Amino acid sequence: MKAHLRDQFETAIAALQAEGTVPAEIPAWTLERARDPAHGDFACNAAMVMAKAAGMKPRDLAERVVATLPADSRVDRVEIAGPGFINLFVAPAAYHEVVGEVLDAGEAFGRSTVGDDRRVQVEFVSANPTGPLHVGHGRGAAYGAAVADLLAAAGFRVHREYYVNDAGRQMDILAASVWLRYLEAHGETVPFPANGYRGDYVHAIADRLTRAEGRTLVQPAEKVTAGLPADEPDGGDKESYIDALVARCRELLGEGGYLRVFNTGLGYILEDIREDLESFGIVYEEWFSERSLTETGAVDAALDRLRERGHLYEADGATWFRATDFGDDKDRVVIRENGDRTYFASDIAYHMGKLERGFDWVIDIWGADHHGYVPRVRAALEAMGEPVDRLDMLLVQFAVLWRGGEKVPMSTRAGEFVTLRELRDEVGADAARFFYVMRRCEQHLDFDLDLAKSESSDNPVYYIQYAHARVHSLLRQMAERGWQHDEAGGREHLHRLENEHEQGLLARLSRYPEVVESAALAHEPHQLANYLRELAGDFHTWYNAHPVLVEEAALRDARLVLARAVRQVIANGLGILGVSAPERM
């Protein structure tokens, strides 16, 4: 409806431009849903924003626009309000058309071509493979998947990608943690480092290492600890201690042995993450390895490009990027004093590669703790001459889990956290996926486990799914009574849908394509979640106020096709959000 009406205005404005009433160059104008039903269904500000360029009073120009609008059976009347707003009142019969459109299009209803098949890459989750995914990662997963699916519904070609941080210090700490648990299992007990990974999963990885290597990687505890600096419990520095322990691990195992420990830990956790996400309904087109950037020379190529453009310099034995020249708050190290490339250097190469792969639009979805990376990555791309407007970086705030009115503690390093798998087992994937996207990504989220598990109208997931199941129940009741549903007859008698609740439902249904497009372009899945709650609310109110299975066949069939259209839109919307639409509840 909105797209059709906008076309009508564009036709009228083009005619006014052709006759010279309105110049060729005009400001952007909008057509929006009216907030107050008394002001119609849609409001257009075209006359107000064009008036100055046209040299006319806004109301006078509004009258010219209205007079030039093509005749349209979908519009009941047009009014000019205030300083020159053009308000449109849609004819009831036009809203009746949406029922047929929904039923004819089925799963395709609401999908659009606004994306014009442009290629967009969405990188999300990308959690360090140092432990299982927890409820904090779950929000990024649900949000990222919903953004990707919304963009696909809006006509973009979406490439979902997980950036595997399989290099760097945290992975080395995991490898050392695994090796110590392996030694412990073979009778060689080494005090566990304060900065090591303590979760039970580390024992499971050590068991896998034993099955693969037997005792071939065992070293005496005395050799492991000899000459190491003091750890934090003994008055030392935990960072210095863990770095020394990693170095000792490499020394005693040799690079071959160390790599086997490292890869055992990496492989175990990546398998767990893949399985976890797939069980959550999330599948990626690509899992991109950070290590591959070094192995293929991509990091050095990116740094060479910055160096050639004069944006690197040497200081204090390290190589720095002049990030402050491009809006960052300080310059950034890209090569350390020991010659190692920094994590940021890999980030530069990764993002350069994204654009070189031909994506028209790149979207990074990161945790809120990565806020400091946004200006530096943008600075690096700008320094290399890349168009930064092709990159969107979205930060997802933390999700706080509540059970029984108490906050659940979370610490990955200490092994105190609720995994995403445990959350799914407790509340189900549907509730988790929906609850995670009910708020804007930049807002903190309190996840109420008790509410997510409840079977009441207070639980939005249950409330929406129940509306879908209710329609299936109506159709089963039809069969039980021996009645046949005449869809063609129902469409023919849609004019019988004239009460206030039915008119509201029809108007709500017509909004669905607009909501999908708006949510996609704004990266705001909560728009769709809120819409589905409102649609379900409209349906339940109508269902309770007006019996659907009335004796009169014509009215019954008209109400049934309306109910089926609601069911289809709910199924389509839930599908985009990764939530099921059950037939029975």
Side-chain angles (χ1 to χ4, degrees), residues 413-563:
R413 185 66 57 81
E416 297 176 355
F417 54 84
V418 176
T419 67
L420 178 58
R421 189 164 302 168
E422 289 168 339
L423 178 68
R424 290 201 326 269
D425 290 343
E426 184 167 351
V427 306
D430 285 345
R433 288 287 298 263
F434 193 91
F435 271 58
Y436 274 134
V437 299
M438 287 196 305
R439 301 283 182 272
R440 283 186 170 87
C441 68
E442 64 268 22
Q443 293 179 322
H444 285 277
L445 176 70
D446 288 331
F447 195 115
D448 188 334
L449 286 169
D450 301 320
L451 177 60
K453 291 184 289 185
S454 70
E455 295 184 359
S456 71
S457 59
D458 293 330
N459 180 347
V461 187
Y462 181 85
Y463 191 61
I464 296 165
Q465 290 178 322
Y466 186 43
H468 183 272
R470 260 185 161 172
V471 181
H472 281 278
S473 176
L474 285 171
L475 297 173
R476 288 194 297 270
Q477 291 174 50
M478 284 280 291
E480 291 166 3
R481 298 184 189 187
W483 289 343
Q484 295 293 320
H485 172 44
D486 180 2
E487 180 182 328
R491 293 192 187 204
E492 212 173 295
H493 292 91
L494 286 170
H495 62 278
R496 298 291 302 278
L497 303 178
E498 54 191 4
N499 66 60
E500 181 183 355
H501 293 132
E502 288 161 346
Q503 291 297 306
L505 257 181
L506 289 164
R508 185 81 66 189
L509 285 174
S510 73
R511 292 176 62 100
Y512 178 71
E514 301 164 32
V515 171
V516 171
E517 186 173 304
S518 173
L521 297 179
H523 314 321
E524 293 184 345
H526 73 274
Q527 289 190 28
L528 178 55
N530 291 339
Y531 169 85
L532 292 174
R533 293 176 74 172
E534 292 165 352
L535 177 61
D538 289 346
F539 174 80
H540 288 306
T541 300
W542 170 65
Y543 179 94
N544 292 327
H546 305 280
V548 176
L549 303 184
V550 295
E551 290 292 331
E552 186 188 348
L555 181 58
R556 181 176 70 237
D557 286 327
R559 286 180 173 173
L560 275 172
V561 292
L562 173 58

Side-chain angles (χ1 to χ4, degrees), residues 168-310:
R169 184 167 178 264
Q170 294 307 315
M171 291 302 301
D172 287 330
I173 294 173
L174 174 67
S177 301
V178 168
W179 188 51
L180 293 190
R181 293 305 190 197
Y182 165 86
L183 293 178
E184 182 181 295
H186 291 283
E188 298 291 339
T189 303
V190 177
F192 203 78
N195 218 16
Y197 285 97
R198 295 178 174 273
D200 291 341
Y201 63 93
V202 180
H203 292 277
I205 301 172
D207 290 343
R208 175 180 287 192
L209 187 61
T210 292
R211 291 194 297 272
E213 303 290 341
R215 291 183 54 85
T216 60
L217 300 178
V218 174
Q219 291 285 341
E222 313 85 67
K223 292 182 69 174
V224 177
T225 58
L228 292 182
D231 198 359
E232 186 176 66
D234 300 317
D237 177 69
K238 64 180 181 180
E239 304 295 348
S240 299
Y241 180 80
I242 196 68
D243 288 341
L245 183 63
V246 168
R248 180 59 52 81
C249 179
R250 286 180 178 275
E251 174 193 333
L252 294 177
L253 291 174
E255 281 306 306
Y258 177 76
L259 198 57
R260 294 201 295 278
V261 175
F262 185 101
N263 286 337
T264 299
L266 173 64
Y268 180 97
I269 291 176
L270 273 185
E271 287 172 21
D272 186 73
I273 289 175
R274 283 177 189 264
E275 182 182 329
D276 218 0
L277 290 172
E278 287 177 5
S279 297
F280 204 38
I282 298 170
V283 177
Y284 292 87
E285 277 75 33
E286 185 168 358
W287 293 69
F288 191 100
S289 164
E290 179 189 351
R291 282 195 291 182
S292 71
L293 294 170
T294 300
E295 293 165 355
T296 61
V299 176
D300 286 337
L303 296 181
D304 287 344
R305 186 168 167 184
L306 286 173
R307 188 176 286 106
E308 289 165 5
R309 296 175 72 92

Side-chain angles (χ1 to χ4, degrees), residues 11 20 41 54 68 74 91-92 145 163 248 267 270 283 316 326 506 521 561 573:
T11 298
D41 297 284
T68 314
R74 296 186 182 188
Y163 181 55
R248 180 59 52 81
L270 273 185
V283 177
D316 302 322
F326 301 92
L506 289 164
L521 297 179
V561 292

Side-chain angles (χ1 to χ4, degrees), residues 1-29:
M1 181 67 67
K2 183 177 179 181
H4 167 74
L5 294 176
R6 186 172 179 89
D7 287 343
Q8 298 290 73
F9 272 98
E10 288 177 347
T11 298
I13 292 168
L16 293 174
Q17 288 173 320
E19 69 180 36
T21 302
V22 173
E25 296 295 324
I26 58 173
W29 52 273

Side-chain angles (χ1 to χ4, degrees), residues 3 102 130 132 155 264 267 289 357 384 423 558:
V102 172
T130 53
T264 299
S289 164
R357 280 188 272 164
M384 288 190 288
L423 178 68

